[in-house]
Amino acid sequence: QPFVTPSSSLSPGHLLVIGYVWPEPRSSAAGGHMLQLLECFLAQGWQITFASPAAEGEHRADLAVLGIREQRIALNCSSFDQFVRELMPEVVLFDRFMMEEQFGWRVEKHCPNALRVLETSDLQSLRAARQNALKEQLASGQNEDFSTLFSLDHSQLFQRMADSDMALREVAAVYRCDLSLMISDAEIDLLTEQFKVPASLLLHCPLLLDSTPQPVPDFAGREHFISIGNFRHAPNWDAVLWLKTSLWPLIRQQLPHARLHIYGAYTPPKATALDNPAQGFHIMNWAPDALEVMRQARVCLAPLRFGAGIKGKLADAMLCGTPNVTTPIGAEGMHGEWPWPGQIACTAQAFATAAVQLYQDQTLWQQAQANGWALLAARYERKQFAGLLISRINQCRADLAQHRRHNFTGSMLRHHQHKSTQYMAQWIEAKNRVAD
């Protein structure tokens, strides 16, 4: 489907994306979202160069087929200076704050008029704060009821995040950029209300999906449970452990013939070791087509005890008409005021009970399926958000000087970042002269 054409007199230019990794849309939601963003710019006629210092993953997308130039770059290497000077992009998109830290000052030095956009993916400092809170609870011996953990409000989360090195770095990167893409509106609220980040620096840009319901198997045509997620992502691995030790045994007590199929890219030996067909617990490794295996399952399980952003696995479940059971962490930022397409639980027993009910009750299952399709249409419509993204990009480009003037804190941080790297370069040069 063509994207909405934004009203702007600015013509498309050259977009440089500096990727934390090479996009793997079939391995992670972050990879899928990056590809969606690239498609938005391609549909408007932009030229795109995707550069990354990362090694190539086995499931990476073939960007060249889409007409996107690929460029290998290195960390802390001056060859990037010549590369970016020759390219002179109109927009630079940093994939997560670490890439802005590494390359932002070089972009500032050689392309000061390029619009700087940050793809946050999710707030990693929020995820880290929740992970630490989970560790504290598990260390205290409380491993079944996570109601208190899940009920931490934004003020309490801010207290946990504010003094952390990661939050200081991440929020500084948000300020140094002209626009940050936020996949979760809950994280926008956290940044604006607690960290006092100006709303003008943030844009809600969730997963961009085709919300038209597709033909899928009905209740009777499906069987078993599914859980899916990249094993390299810490919240996913924690969810697998909770399933293995607590949740799945409770479910099997009531459904002794049910099976749980767990899919994920980059399956480590520690995950393979959990495979136990006698218990109906199957580690299935990577699924070449995640939507196909999701369509065949009756219920999706996503017992996330920490995390941030929004969950691609749950969006995929909605697309496939597969009801889910998750936690408040899994549902955060995904449904707003709309009914959840399944059940949300805070304790092990409540999670297992909800999973069994959805698995057995056809009426409840069908209502959850309908809720999912309604939610997709209301909050994830591709055309709407693609148009808003390009319009906001062009709006910032058209009035960049004024936009930056209103973000004095960001200008100050960029100034000091540039000066500090300049002084460091001069110090290294002087040291080398003395050595010679």
Side-chain angles (χ1 to χ4, degrees), residues 166-181:
M166 186 176 292
L168 292 169
R169 293 166 55 199
E170 191 167 27
V171 176
V174 168
Y175 270 105
R176 286 193 296 264
C177 289
D178 301 305
L179 190 64
S180 290
L181 308 183

Side-chain angles (χ1 to χ4, degrees), residues 196-216:
K196 308 305 180 184
V197 174
S200 60
L201 300 182
L202 309 174
L203 176 65
H204 185 212
C205 187
L207 299 173
L208 311 177
L209 305 173
D210 179 3
S211 61
T212 305
Q214 302 297 316
V216 295

